[in-house]
Amino acid sequence: MGARIASAHPPGMAAPLSIRRYAVPIETLAALLGAAVAGLLLMAPLDLNGTSGSPVLQFDLLVINMPRAAAAGAALAVVSAALVVALGRRSAWIASCGSALMLLADQFWNRGAPTMDSLTTANYIDSIFAGILLGSLAVAAFGKPLATGAFLAGALGSILIGDQTSLPPGEGHGNPLSQLASVGTPPLWLLLLTVVLLAAGIVLQQPDPVADESTDLAIGTILSALVVITATVLSTEWFVRHAGTPLQIGAAVAVTVGAGMTAALLLPGREGTLVLLAVAVANAGSAIIAVPRPDWAAPFPVIALLAGLAAGRLWRSPWIAFAATGALAVFAAGTAGVAHQYSAIPVIGVAATGFVIGLCFGAVVPKTAGSAVVAIAVLIVPCLVVALRGSDFGRVAYSPRWYRDPSGIVSASPGWAALIITVGCAAGVYLLWRIRPTRTAAVLHVRPDEPRAVVPQG
């Protein structure tokens, strides 16, 4: 299953040996920063502090377009990963550096006082090139253990921070890390450093051999992403336009689980296991009441994420990850009514969310970069639980201003819906494993030299 494209790369000059000795730390840091920048721009792409005086209709259109822009970026991440796999690792580094350079130019161009129209345009530009950066960098990093780990930590950490950010604080309030997350715009020096590191990554790559045969374009990976992203976008936008009756919630849950299962079947072998885990943990994590929480707790989610990745690599069981995701959903439902009253509950909730996301992605690391990007794309697109929390004001968002509102109305329904989705996704993995009982098929439809993670079987 796949279209054929031809690729040929003329041999080039290899990097000097004195530079190549630093290849591992340079590539690892480039993967970390590149993934972090891309994830942050996809999840929290705009600074809304200067839009309070804008017309209500324009502001509504701006916020309504945010999940659509995120979905576009997520889809392009998968498409770019599929394309650069066919073109080679050097092309992956070139595409990553080029997209980061475009993001730097866009951020520099929009440094002045933004208008509502320019913010909407910048939102789409950032999402598109951040998606290309994320997908290309996954191919560049996969197959190199340290770079793969750094890529996952950067992508998942930035997605987690962007998703759990509260409304931007007023002038003079909040620490710099909270301010950076709330406006979703990395500083220019960080973008410049990322571009320099990605350019160094290009230099460090060995020249690609001339390809005499055409290579396979991973159509299954692209179709998998399109199914789950399209179903999520359409079902969430349909849901927020209706009253949210139990029957409608049940229908939306069925669509979510069904789309996840279909996407998993479109991936080779058991690679779709991580996609179903991502569907479950995206909804459970979105049900958590993450604000208000003290500024000193800002590093906790990232620390918990790293601990979760390590625990996942130790246990390597999707069933443990599903159990943890179900427990997270129950915690979200059980604490929904009191979370705004006790700051300890949001702190525990965000740390638990980080740990469970890390556990899911550590327990089931796909062999191919494309499958990993599909799972990450699931975390980027606002899910059913986000629509359920936004049904009162008719937007796929946590609040009318997109971010999580510390004074927002809460309900236990999102947590219970996330629990049902988790059970459905676990049943989907059980069915997937019954259909494909061995892992030897996991490399079908993949180039023999495609970058892949080193995952011991067991």
Side-chain angles (χ1 to χ4, degrees):
M1 176 172 59
R4 296 271 183 182
I5 63 173
S7 64
H9 305 279
M13 295 283 295
L17 186 60
S18 59
I19 299 178
R20 288 199 57 79
R21 72 178 62 179
Y22 302 107
V24 172
I26 290 175
E27 290 176 347
T28 300
L29 187 56
L32 175 67
L33 293 184
V37 166
L40 187 60
L41 287 171
L42 282 165
M43 292 302 297
L46 298 176
D47 180 3
L48 301 180
N49 272 327
T51 60
S52 57
S54 302
V56 175
L57 178 59
Q58 288 188 1
F59 183 85
D60 286 348
L61 291 174
L62 173 66
V63 177
I64 287 172
N65 275 303
M66 285 185 183
R68 298 173 183 175
L76 280 170
V78 178
V79 172
S80 61
L83 287 173
V84 296
V85 157
L87 296 174
R89 192 185 296 275
R90 180 184 286 268
S91 296
W93 283 99
I94 292 173
S96 300
C97 183
S99 54
L101 190 59
M102 290 298 299
L103 290 171
L104 176 63
D106 184 59
Q107 297 302 321
F108 184 80
W109 184 264
N110 289 285
R111 291 182 70 186
T115 64
M116 191 66 67
D117 292 337
S118 68
L119 277 178
T120 304
T121 302
N123 183 29
Y124 274 99
I125 292 174
D126 286 350
S127 295
I128 288 170
F129 286 104
I132 296 173
L133 171 59
L134 190 68
S136 302
L137 194 56
V139 177
F142 260 58
K144 302 180 179 182
L146 286 178
T148 300
F151 171 82
L152 289 175
L156 298 176
S158 59
I159 290 172
L160 182 65
I161 291 171
D163 178 73
Q164 293 180 340
T165 301
S166 64
L167 288 168
E171 293 297 329
H173 298 283
N175 63 32
L177 181 60
S178 299
Q179 287 279 16
L180 172 62
S182 66
V183 300
T185 303
L188 289 178
W189 65 264
L190 181 60
L191 280 166
L192 180 59
L193 177 60
T194 302
V195 170
V196 171
L197 288 170
L198 291 172
I202 299 173
V203 176
L204 291 169
Q205 301 311 301
Q206 293 285 0
D208 290 328
V210 176
D212 296 325
E213 299 179 358
S214 47
T215 55
D216 286 329
L217 179 63
I219 295 297
T221 301
I222 297 175
L223 290 177
S224 175
L226 291 179
V227 166
V228 70
I229 291 173
T230 303
T232 302
V233 171
L234 293 180
S235 61
T236 53
E237 291 196 356
W238 170 84
F239 186 82
V240 296
R241 293 195 296 267
H242 296 79
T245 64
L247 181 60
Q248 292 166 338
I249 294 175
V253 167
V255 169
T256 298
V257 176
M261 184 62 192
T262 304
L265 288 171
L266 286 168
L267 295 173
R270 293 181 173 182
E271 301 251 299
T273 300
L274 184 57
V275 174
L276 286 164
L277 274 170
V279 171
V281 77
N283 283 274
S286 297
I288 290 293
I289 306 301
V291 292
R293 63 183 188 272
D295 286 339
W296 53 260
F300 285 10
V302 177
I303 295 173
L305 172 71
L306 297 176
L309 283 170
R313 300 309 299 142
L314 177 65
W315 295 328
R316 305 194 182 202
S317 171
W319 310 116
I320 294 177
F322 272 122
T325 303
L328 184 65
V330 171
F331 175 83
T335 60
V338 297
H340 285 337
Q341 303 172 23
Y342 305 98
S343 60
I345 294 178
V347 172
I348 295 172
V350 297
T353 302
F355 181 83
V356 174
I357 290 176
L359 183 65
C360 291
F361 278 78
V364 189
V365 179
K367 289 180 172 59
T368 61
S371 299
V373 177
V374 174
I376 293 173
V378 170
L379 300 182
I380 294 171
V381 183
C383 61
L384 173 61
V385 165
V386 179
L388 187 60
R389 293 182 65 171
S391 58
D392 290 340
F393 46 85
R395 296 177 190 163
V396 185
Y398 292 110
S399 73
R401 286 176 63 84
W402 175 259
Y403 300 97
R404 301 203 185 211
D405 189 351
S407 60
I409 300 174
V410 296
S411 167
S413 298
W416 298 126
L419 179 61
I420 296 172
I421 291 172
T422 300
V423 173
C425 289
V429 169
Y430 176 78
L431 179 60
L432 176 67
W433 284 29
R434 289 291 299 271
I435 295 172
R436 297 170 180 172
T438 64
R439 299 186 180 183
T440 55
V443 295
L444 293 177
H445 310 129
V446 180
R447 279 182 52 186
D449 62 337
E450 177 180 350
R452 57 189 69 175
V454 179
V455 184
Q457 300 298 315

